[in-house]
């Protein structure tokens, strides 16, 4: 599981670097590869945001110690604003009160088959995030509230979300990264954040302001957050005292990492397993196989 958790962060890391202006975006299908253009203003903003988040996490005290990520995003936004990288016109044109658009669900078998692999991704991500959150908070979340209740809540929220025309819900590694940095684990704080998010969704100006945050700002801060997720995966290896001198552990970790980070994919009709979903499936299948071999006394590292 540590490998899958690390892959969550490592798989997203290139996107953070691309948003931050340190790497080129991949060419789309049918497009020619364009030469990478170094944009100094993007790099300045992303680097400034990243540095504020980095140093704020280790230097801030008091209330600022709780919000280094928010402080870094605001600081990066203000810098981008002074550099003319923020389009404020949509904010001024947006209404203060704007209800979200709801849409009834439509049954489409083709769309269902295409998005079906996301279930594997969400399932693996949910379990990984529950383990990581438990390690961060020092609580056994697999026991209380329990994986079965956690997955049930996730499923019910997706069910309700779909009938409201909203995209599927999932746990987010970025939020876990924020908890690891701020060390704020209170359920009441999370509930308060959820209520604020609902209130903000009803304000057109707030939504427009959030949408106006430049990619450079988000790229800088996500370089930190995605890195934290990857490190939490390695932390699982350390705390579980995984012995990589055993061939079974070594090859299991090796193949799981390669499956998730090499770009390999398996197509089953219109369904594709790739990245974290593929690594999770490969890891589970290999783990079950090794468990069977171990029960049969065939493993050479048990001698």
């Amino acid at each position: 599981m540590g490998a899958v958790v690390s892959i969550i962060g490592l798989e997203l890391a290139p996107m953070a670097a691309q948003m931050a202006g340190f790497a080129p975006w991949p060419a789309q299908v049918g497009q020619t590869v364009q030469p990478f253009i170094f944009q100094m203003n993007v790099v300045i903003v992303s680097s400034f945001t990243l540095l504020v988040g980095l140093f704020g996490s280790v230097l801030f005290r008091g209330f600022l110690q709780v919000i280094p990520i928010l402080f870094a995003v605001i600081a990066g936004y203000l810098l981008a604003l002074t550099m003319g990288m923020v389009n404020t016109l949509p904010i001024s044109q947006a209404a203060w009160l704007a209800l979200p658009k709801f849409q009834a669900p439509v049954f489409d078998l083709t769309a269902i088959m295409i998005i079906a692999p996301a279930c594997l991704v969400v399932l693996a991500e949910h379990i990984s995030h529950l383990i990581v959150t438990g390690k961060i908070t020092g609580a056994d979340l697999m026991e209380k509230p329990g994986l079965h209740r956690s997955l049930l809540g996730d499923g019910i929220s997706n069910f309700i979300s779909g009938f409201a025309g909203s995209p599927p819900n999932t746990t987010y590694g970025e939020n876990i990264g924020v908890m690891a940095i701020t060390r704020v684990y209170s359920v009441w704080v999370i509930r308060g954040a959820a209520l604020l998010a609902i209130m903000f969704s009803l304000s057109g100006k707030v939504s427009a302001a959030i949408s106006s945050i430049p990619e450079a700002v988000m790229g800088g801060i996500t370089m930190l957050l995605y890195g934290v997720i990857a490190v939490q995966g390695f932390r699982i290896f350390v705390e579980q005292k995984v012995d990589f001198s055993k061939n079974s552990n070594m090859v299991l970790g090796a193949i799981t990492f390669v499956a998730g980070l090499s770009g390999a994919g398996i197509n089953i009709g219109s369904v594709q397993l790739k990245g974290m979903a593929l690594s999770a499936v490969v890891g589970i299948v290999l783990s079950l196989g090794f468990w069977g071999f171990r029960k049969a006394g065939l493993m050479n590292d048990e001698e």
Side-chain angles (χ1 to χ4, degrees):
M1 190 56 71
V4 176
V5 173
S6 294
I7 289 171
I8 295 173
L10 295 175
E11 188 181 18
L12 293 171
M15 183 176 66
Q18 290 155 3
M19 294 172 62
F22 292 110
W25 287 97
Q28 300 297 320
V29 177
Q31 293 182 344
T32 57
V33 178
Q34 299 294 327
F36 176 56
I37 300 176
F38 186 85
Q39 296 179 289
M40 182 59 71
N41 59 341
V42 173
V43 172
I44 290 175
V45 171
S46 63
S47 299
F48 176 75
T49 306
L50 174 60
L51 290 174
V52 173
L54 282 172
F55 292 120
S57 300
V58 298
L59 297 178
F60 286 170
R61 298 180 184 276
F63 178 68
L64 288 180
Q65 186 181 6
V66 181
I67 57 168
I69 303 301
L70 177 61
F71 186 86
V73 171
I74 293 175
Y77 185 90
L78 293 176
L79 177 61
L81 185 64
T82 61
M83 297 176 65
M85 297 174 60
V86 180
N87 181 14
T88 59
L89 183 60
I91 302 176
S92 61
Q93 293 179 340
W96 280 105
L97 180 63
L99 295 177
K101 295 181 180 179
F102 295 94
Q103 183 175 339
V106 177
F107 184 84
D108 189 326
L109 184 59
T110 302
I112 293 174
M113 293 300 296
I114 292 174
I115 203 173
C119 295
L120 293 174
V121 177
V122 171
L123 180 63
E125 191 175 12
H126 183 107
I127 297 173
S128 302
H129 287 172
L130 199 66
I131 294 174
V132 174
T133 304
K135 295 296 181 183
I136 293 173
T137 61
D140 187 359
L141 300 181
M142 298 292 284
E143 178 67 24
K144 183 181 180 180
L147 180 60
H148 59 298
R149 292 190 179 92
S150 182
L151 284 174
L152 177 62
D154 205 349
I156 292 175
S157 68
N158 278 304
F159 184 81
I160 297 174
S161 176
F163 272 96
S166 179
N169 298 303
T170 182
T171 54
Y172 285 94
E174 295 89 336
N175 295 334
I176 297 175
V178 170
M179 286 195 296
I181 293 173
T182 62
R183 299 182 183 180
V184 176
Y185 316 132
S186 171
V187 175
W188 287 102
V189 172
I190 304 300
R191 289 170 179 166
L195 291 175
L196 285 175
I198 294 174
M199 292 172 58
F200 289 158
S201 70
L202 300 176
S203 173
K205 287 193 178 295
V206 173
S207 299
I210 294 174
S211 299
S212 69
I213 299 176
E215 278 191 352
V217 175
M218 299 308 300
I221 203 62
T222 51
M223 287 182 69
L224 173 60
L225 295 179
Y226 295 155
V228 169
I229 298 169
V231 170
Q232 291 300 326
F234 297 128
R235 176 181 175 181
I236 293 177
F237 286 134
V238 174
E239 293 185 346
Q240 294 297 323
K241 299 180 180 178
V242 178
D243 185 1
F244 283 107
S245 66
K246 292 185 176 182
N247 289 337
S248 57
N249 292 335
M250 180 176 61
V251 299
L252 178 59
I255 296 302
T256 303
F257 271 113
V258 170
L261 299 175
S262 64
I266 297 177
N267 294 316
I268 306 175
S270 59
V271 178
Q272 183 183 56
L273 289 179
K274 190 176 181 181
M276 193 188 70
L278 180 61
S279 70
V281 172
V282 169
I284 292 171
V285 172
L286 286 178
S287 295
L288 290 174
F290 289 170
W291 176 82
F293 294 153
R294 186 171 288 106
K295 286 293 184 180
L298 300 176
M299 299 291 283
N300 58 21
D301 57 14
E302 297 295 327
E303 295 177 354

